Amino acid sequence: MDSKIPSSHQGFSNHTNTSNPKLLEEIPLFGSETTPQQREVTETLAEIYSVIIALDQVEKSYLKDGISNTEYTNAVSKLLAQYKTYLTNNKDVEEEFVSLDKFKEKWNISASNAITRIERGIPVTVEHAIRDISSEDINATNSGASKFSAKAVAEVTGNFITAMDALKLNYKAKDQLHPLMSELLLSINRVTSQDFENRAKLVNWIVSINKMKVDELLSEEESRELLFDLESAYKSFYLLLG
């Protein structure tokens, strides 16, 4: 980033620039006493701000049908991953950030669509199983072939088992469970966009876990309830396959 003010500025004459030397002075982005660590924190917070603004623009573009479901899903997934990475890689950044609400208030951020998406933790297309219809889907329908891919179904089975085993192994933290639950939902969506009993509970758990603090853990009761809902959703998913 260039820290100098341009030598000429639209709206100001050359005479004005010449008669006011201060307009040509360099403005330091950081004070002389700023440590490298403080500089890194500031730069990372600026990146987080940029991610939020970019995410809001993607959300607005999707709502106006400006991008496809696939483009939207890929873009939002990447931005959400960047947001989480920036916050979890540096303890000082996390302490300065405090919370999404505090950060939004401090910097007067008006990006309601992005805030909602960050709080949900997954793209709306993943949450509601929305995807673009591919030529493979059309060909399978026209030929009368099974609409359920054996490979995709096997992937869902593996992800269900992985998530349930994680709970049995006493995984209770956000960074342990959220990736497993998100990948499970993604794999389900690759099999079918149809709703089935207990799918909504999986989405609610993903959102709930996403809202947890980094050092927060599920209680014993919550862990048992999540395991029960996973087992119930697993059975409902296979009933859907018929």
Side-chain angles (χ1 to χ4, degrees):
M1 183 181 292
D2 192 352
S3 59
K4 297 180 180 180
I5 292 181
S7 58
S8 61
H9 190 283
Q10 186 175 0
F12 289 88
S13 65
N14 290 332
H15 174 73
T16 302
N17 289 333
T18 304
S19 62
N20 191 348
K22 288 186 177 181
L23 292 178
L24 302 177
E25 291 180 1
E26 290 187 8
I27 298 177
L29 296 177
F30 300 96
S32 58
E33 297 181 357
T34 303
T35 65
Q37 185 177 10
Q38 291 172 326
R39 182 189 297 260
E40 182 182 4
V41 169
T42 301
E43 290 176 344
T44 302
L45 291 173
E47 292 294 342
I48 293 173
Y49 182 97
S50 297
V51 167
I52 294 173
I53 300 304
L55 180 57
D56 197 62
Q57 292 302 311
V58 173
E59 289 287 319
K60 289 178 179 177
S61 180
Y62 179 69
L63 291 173
K64 295 177 181 178
D65 291 327
I67 55 177
S68 69
N69 294 321
T70 300
E71 290 172 328
Y72 165 83
T73 302
N74 292 338
V76 172
S77 296
K78 182 177 181 179
L79 288 167
L80 288 176
Q82 290 174 337
Y83 173 85
K84 292 173 185 177
T85 301
Y86 283 132
L87 275 177
T88 56
N89 279 1
N90 190 316
K91 190 68 176 178
D92 293 327
V93 171
E94 185 183 342
E95 291 177 354
E96 184 68 25
F97 182 82
V98 183
S99 69
L100 182 57
D101 284 339
K102 292 290 185 182
F103 189 75
K104 179 182 68 173
E105 182 180 348
K106 180 178 181 179
W107 299 108
N108 194 29
I109 298 175
S110 179
S112 58
N113 293 299
I115 301 300
T116 298
R117 194 50 43 208
I118 290 172
E119 290 174 342
R120 304 295 286 177
I122 49 177
V124 70
T125 45
V126 175
E127 184 175 347
H128 298 290
I130 303 169
R131 60 189 178 92
D132 294 316
I133 299 175
S134 67
S135 58
E136 291 182 2
D137 295 327
I138 297 173
N139 291 336
T141 301
N142 293 337
S143 64
S146 173
K147 59 183 176 180
F148 300 120
S149 162
K151 181 180 179 181
V153 170
E155 184 181 24
V156 174
T157 299
N159 287 333
F160 263 117
I161 293 173
T162 299
M164 291 187 286
D165 284 348
L167 288 168
K168 293 173 184 177
L169 291 171
N170 210 33
Y171 282 27
K172 296 180 179 180
K174 173 181 179 178
D175 60 346
Q176 294 173 321
L177 295 175
H178 192 272
L180 297 179
M181 294 293 293
S182 297
E183 182 56 37
L184 170 59
L185 192 59
L186 276 169
S187 63
I188 290 173
N189 291 349
R190 285 192 283 267
V191 173
T192 178
S193 58
Q194 295 181 52
D195 196 12
F196 58 89
E197 189 177 2
N198 297 307
R199 183 188 183 281
K201 288 185 177 181
L202 296 182
V203 173
N204 290 338
W205 274 112
I206 291 172
V207 174
S208 178
I209 292 171
N210 183 65
K211 291 181 178 180
M212 290 169 56
K213 296 179 181 177
V214 176
D215 58 350
E216 189 177 354
L217 301 175
L218 291 180
S219 66
E220 288 293 336
E221 182 180 353
E222 288 172 330
S223 183
R224 288 196 300 270
E225 184 179 352
L226 174 54
L227 180 58
F228 176 80
D229 287 341
L230 278 168
E231 291 172 343
S232 299
Y234 187 33
K235 295 174 182 176
S236 298
F237 173 74
Y238 268 89
L239 287 174
L240 174 69
L241 301 181

